[in-house]
Coordinates of all heavy atoms in Angstrom, one line a residue:
Chain A
S104 N 13.8 -0.5 -10.7 CA 15.0 0.0 -10.0 C 14.7 0.7 -8.7 O 15.5 0.7 -7.7 CB 15.9 0.9 -10.9 OG 15.1 2.0 -11.2
A105 N 13.5 1.3 -8.7 CA 13.1 2.0 -7.4 C 12.3 1.0 -6.5 O 11.8 1.5 -5.5 CB 12.2 3.2 -7.8
E106 N 12.4 -0.3 -6.8 CA 11.8 -1.3 -6.0 C 10.3 -1.1 -5.8 O 9.7 -1.3 -4.8 CB 12.5 -1.4 -4.6 CG 13.9 -1.9 -4.8 CD 14.6 -2.3 -3.5 OE1 14.0 -2.1 -2.4 OE2 15.6 -2.9 -3.6
R107 N 9.6 -0.6 -6.9 CA 8.2 -0.6 -6.9 C 7.7 -2.0 -7.2 O 8.2 -2.6 -8.1 CB 7.6 0.4 -8.0 CG 8.1 1.8 -7.9 CD 7.9 2.5 -6.5 NE 6.5 2.3 -6.1 CZ 6.2 2.4 -4.8 NH1 7.0 2.7 -3.9 NH2 4.9 2.3 -4.4
S108 N 6.8 -2.5 -6.4 CA 6.4 -4.0 -6.6 C 5.5 -4.3 -7.7 O 5.4 -5.4 -8.2 CB 5.8 -4.5 -5.3 OG 4.5 -3.8 -5.1
G109 N 4.8 -3.2 -8.3 CA 3.9 -3.5 -9.3 C 2.6 -4.1 -8.8 O 1.8 -4.7 -9.6
M110 N 2.4 -4.0 -7.5 CA 1.2 -4.6 -6.9 C 0.1 -3.6 -6.6 O -1.0 -4.0 -6.1 CB 1.6 -5.2 -5.5 CG 2.5 -6.4 -5.6 SD 1.5 -7.8 -6.1 CE 0.3 -7.9 -4.7
G111 N 0.3 -2.3 -6.9 CA -0.7 -1.3 -6.5 C -2.1 -1.6 -6.9 O -3.1 -1.7 -6.1
F112 N -2.3 -1.8 -8.3 CA -3.7 -2.1 -8.7 C -4.2 -3.4 -8.2 O -5.4 -3.5 -8.0 CB -3.8 -2.0 -10.3 CG -3.8 -0.6 -10.8 CD1 -2.8 -0.1 -11.6 CD2 -4.9 0.3 -10.4 CE1 -2.9 1.2 -12.1 CE2 -4.9 1.6 -10.9 CZ -3.9 2.1 -11.7
T113 N -3.4 -4.4 -8.1 CA -3.8 -5.7 -7.6 C -4.3 -5.6 -6.2 O -5.4 -6.2 -5.8 CB -2.6 -6.7 -7.6 OG1 -2.1 -6.7 -9.0 CG2 -3.0 -8.1 -7.2
V114 N -3.6 -4.7 -5.4 CA -4.1 -4.5 -4.0 C -5.5 -3.8 -4.0 O -6.4 -4.3 -3.3 CB -3.1 -3.7 -3.2 CG1 -3.6 -3.2 -1.9 CG2 -1.8 -4.4 -3.0
M115 N -5.6 -2.8 -4.8 CA -6.9 -2.1 -4.9 C -8.0 -3.0 -5.3 O -9.1 -3.0 -4.8 CB -6.8 -0.9 -5.9 CG -5.9 0.2 -5.4 SD -5.9 1.6 -6.6 CE -4.2 1.6 -7.1
E116 N -7.7 -3.8 -6.4 CA -8.8 -4.8 -6.9 C -9.1 -5.8 -5.9 O -10.3 -6.3 -5.8 CB -8.3 -5.4 -8.2 CG -8.3 -4.4 -9.4 CD -7.5 -4.9 -10.5 OE1 -6.9 -6.0 -10.5 OE2 -7.4 -4.2 -11.5
S117 N -8.2 -6.2 -5.1 CA -8.5 -7.3 -4.1 C -9.2 -6.8 -2.8 O -10.0 -7.4 -2.2 CB -7.1 -7.9 -3.6 OG -6.4 -8.4 -4.7
F118 N -8.8 -5.5 -2.4 CA -9.4 -5.0 -1.2 C -10.6 -4.2 -1.4 O -11.3 -3.9 -0.4 CB -8.3 -4.2 -0.5 CG -7.1 -5.0 0.1 CD1 -6.1 -4.3 0.7 CD2 -7.1 -6.4 0.0 CE1 -5.0 -5.1 1.3 CE2 -6.1 -7.1 0.5 CZ -5.0 -6.5 1.2
M119 N -10.9 -3.7 -2.6 CA -12.2 -3.0 -2.8 C -13.1 -3.9 -3.7 O -12.7 -4.9 -4.2 CB -11.9 -1.7 -3.6 CG -10.9 -0.8 -2.9 SD -11.5 -0.1 -1.3 CE -12.5 1.3 -1.9
D120 N -14.4 -3.5 -3.7 CA -15.3 -4.3 -4.5 C -15.2 -4.0 -6.0 O -15.4 -4.9 -6.8 CB -16.8 -4.0 -4.1 CG -17.0 -4.4 -2.6 OD1 -16.3 -5.2 -2.1 OD2 -18.0 -3.8 -2.0
D121 N -14.9 -2.8 -6.3 CA -14.8 -2.4 -7.7 C -13.8 -1.3 -7.9 O -13.7 -0.4 -7.1 CB -16.2 -1.9 -8.2 CG -16.3 -1.7 -9.7 OD1 -16.0 -2.6 -10.4 OD2 -16.6 -0.5 -10.1
V122 N -13.0 -1.4 -9.0 CA -12.0 -0.4 -9.3 C -12.1 -0.1 -10.8 O -12.1 -0.9 -11.7 CB -10.6 -0.9 -9.0 CG1 -9.5 0.1 -9.4 CG2 -10.4 -1.3 -7.6

Side-chain angles (χ1 to χ4, degrees):
Chain A
S104 60
E106 296 192 349
R107 305 302 313 159
S108 67
M110 287 287 297
F112 279 120
T113 305
V114 170
M115 292 181 242
E116 286 164 4
S117 304
F118 289 178
M119 301 295 278
D120 298 338
D121 188 55
V122 179

